[in-house]
Amino acid sequence: SRAKGGWHALRLPPRKAQPQAVRTIVSAVAERSPAALAGLRVGDEVLEVAGKALAASGGPEADALLQAEENERVPMLVRRAGCRAPIHLSLRCALLPPPSVSSRTVRLPARAAASAAPGQPGGRSEGGGHAAVLRIHHFGAGTAAELCSELRKLRARVDGSGSGGGGAGEPVRGGDSGSDGAGALDLPLDLRAVLFDLRDNDGGLLSASVASARSLLPRGAHVLSLQKRRRGSLRTVRSFRRRWYHRASPLGSCRRGGGRPALPDGTAGGALGSGSFGCGVPVIVLVNQQTASAAEIFAAALAHAGNALVLGTQTFGKGTSQAFVHLPGGHGLTFTVYSLAAGAASASHPLNDGVAPHVRWQWWSAVSTATAAADREIALAADAALRATSCSAAA
């Protein structure tokens, strides 16, 4: 629900006015949001907002009553399952930017199961399995934390899959009432790939991109080098690496080699390591021509240092970092400071030419919306990438 200048980060289903009473049930609550801090849970029935009872109009009326200024408190009365009396809550409105990371699953074509590489999960004859898609819309201050949060949900559902949480091929759904129920990963048991969708991501904060990549790479991995031209040549003035004190992602690290399937260019394929699933699950990075700046840093780090597979078209190729200086009178000056370079161990690949995909795929569906057609194309593209790696491994 939108507040004036921000969001409450709770979702109320739309309702049409009816002669009989309509129940307004909270369907999602974002983590660390004002709604979550106030104690609101998924499944709570909203009875009153700001002292006004909700009648037939339901969700739309509640959304209008939640309109408030920043730091203003909005009282709510909710009914919770298992509690005899209604519960009084107080929401403090705060500026909460839209999330930069979202997740969903797509079903892969059936032929992907037959093309599984040796040592990879698959081989099921009844279907092609599923792929988890983590879309990074932009790189902001909270992107690294949001990415780890989504991967934590992914890991929790994988760990719970062996305890009888569902039948073969059936999704394992999270039952935590405080989790984000809408748009969250409903992870199936036959997970075959993890996809990071960077299409149309025009960048953001360099520090956020480096922090996100560090959490997915093994210790000592080279993430990025900042370079300046001195005496006619580019020299590295600073390098970013994954150190021992940097926290790893809940799924472990994107490791190189180790018997992984080969890519079409002859290098080893990427996989999330540390035995998270008992065996490697391929990591695929989706890019297009609008993938730029900080998104290229993330893609190049996973491709070179983590050996992930890059799928799509050549990226934009920004390859530079800018600084902003405030000037008197409300003016400002932006200027280029560094050139950017990636590589497995050192700055061997300048990013001014972009990131070249291992498997080329010309995207035809819209990236901004998660429609059935868009999911179908992602599934076909991921299947093509998995088949390309398996064919290279067989050769």
Side-chain angles (χ1 to χ4, degrees):
S1 174
R2 184 188 296 271
K4 293 182 179 178
W7 294 78
H8 300 290
L10 64 93
R11 184 177 292 110
L12 299 173
R15 304 278 185 170
K16 294 182 179 180
Q18 308 244 344
Q20 67 272 21
V22 176
R23 300 175 63 195
T24 302
I25 308 297
V26 177
S27 60
V29 179
E31 295 180 358
R32 299 181 299 276
S33 66
L37 295 176
L40 199 65
R41 299 180 183 179
V42 173
D44 286 349
E45 179 184 357
V46 181
L47 303 178
E48 295 182 3
V49 176
K52 296 184 179 180
L54 300 184
S57 56
E61 180 184 356
D63 189 68
L65 294 174
L66 284 169
Q67 300 292 329
E69 300 291 344
E70 185 180 5
N71 293 322
E72 183 179 344
R73 289 195 172 273
V74 178
M76 296 182 65
L77 183 66
V78 301
R79 180 184 291 120
R80 182 169 300 165
C83 297
R84 295 183 178 180
I87 301 174
H88 292 270
L89 301 176
S90 178
L91 274 70
R92 184 182 62 85
C93 299
L95 289 174
L96 186 65
S100 59
V101 182
S102 59
S103 58
R104 65 186 190 275
T105 57
V106 297
R107 182 180 292 275
L108 299 177
R111 61 178 178 271
S115 63
Q120 295 296 318
R124 309 170 73 104
S125 58
E126 67 271 14
H130 291 74
V133 182
L134 290 95
R135 170 147 176 78
I136 305 178
H137 305 273
H138 61 273
F139 285 91
T143 300
E146 292 178 33
L147 184 61
C148 282
S149 176
E150 294 296 336
L151 291 174
R152 191 176 299 111
K153 297 175 186 177
L154 184 62
R155 175 64 182 270
R157 290 177 171 90
V158 169
D159 289 344
S161 64
S163 59
E170 290 297 322
V172 178
R173 302 184 184 275
D176 183 6
S177 60
S179 63
D180 189 350
L185 284 170
D186 290 334
L187 185 67
L189 301 182
D190 51 351
L191 179 70
R192 289 191 33 80
V194 176
L195 281 57
F196 293 97
D197 191 355
L198 301 177
R199 296 173 299 163
D200 286 1
N201 185 328
D202 59 359
L205 299 179
L206 182 148
S207 58
S209 177
V210 171
S212 300
R214 275 174 171 165
S215 66
L216 294 168
L217 296 176
R219 292 181 181 179
H222 175 262
V223 179
L224 176 71
S225 287
L226 305 181
Q227 298 181 323
K228 277 190 173 183
R229 185 169 297 278
R230 293 179 180 175
R231 298 180 181 178
S233 62
L234 286 173
R235 298 187 179 183
T236 299
V237 296
R238 184 179 180 184
S239 293
F240 297 90
R241 295 181 180 273
R242 161 78 198 286
R243 304 298 184 184
W244 63 269
Y245 49 81
H246 292 133
R247 182 176 298 179
S249 78
L251 285 182
S253 302
C254 184
R255 299 183 180 275
R256 301 173 58 84
R260 308 302 183 192
L263 297 179
D265 62 0
T267 61
L272 286 174
S274 299
S276 300
F277 306 99
C279 54
V281 175
V283 175
I284 303 176
V285 182
L286 310 182
V287 298
N288 62 4
Q289 294 178 345
Q290 283 70 47
T291 303
S293 193
E296 291 178 296
I297 296 173
F298 182 87
L302 264 63
H304 295 294
N307 234 19
L309 189 148
V310 181
L311 170 65
T313 59
Q314 187 89 8
T315 63
F316 182 80
K318 184 168 180 281
T320 56
S321 176
Q322 284 73 39
F324 182 81
V325 177
H326 292 276
L327 299 177
H331 301 285
L333 176 65
T334 300
F335 57 96
T336 299
V337 182
Y338 300 111
S339 295
L340 308 178
S346 60
S348 56
H349 295 269
L351 294 181
N352 55 351
D353 293 330
V355 179
H358 298 109
V359 178
R360 293 191 174 274
W361 184 276
Q362 190 66 42
W363 306 101
W364 67 75
S365 60
V367 179
S368 57
T369 56
T371 61
D375 287 352
R376 192 179 306 113
E377 184 184 14
I378 290 177
L380 291 174
D383 174 43
L386 292 174
R387 286 189 288 114
T389 58
S390 62
C391 290
S392 298

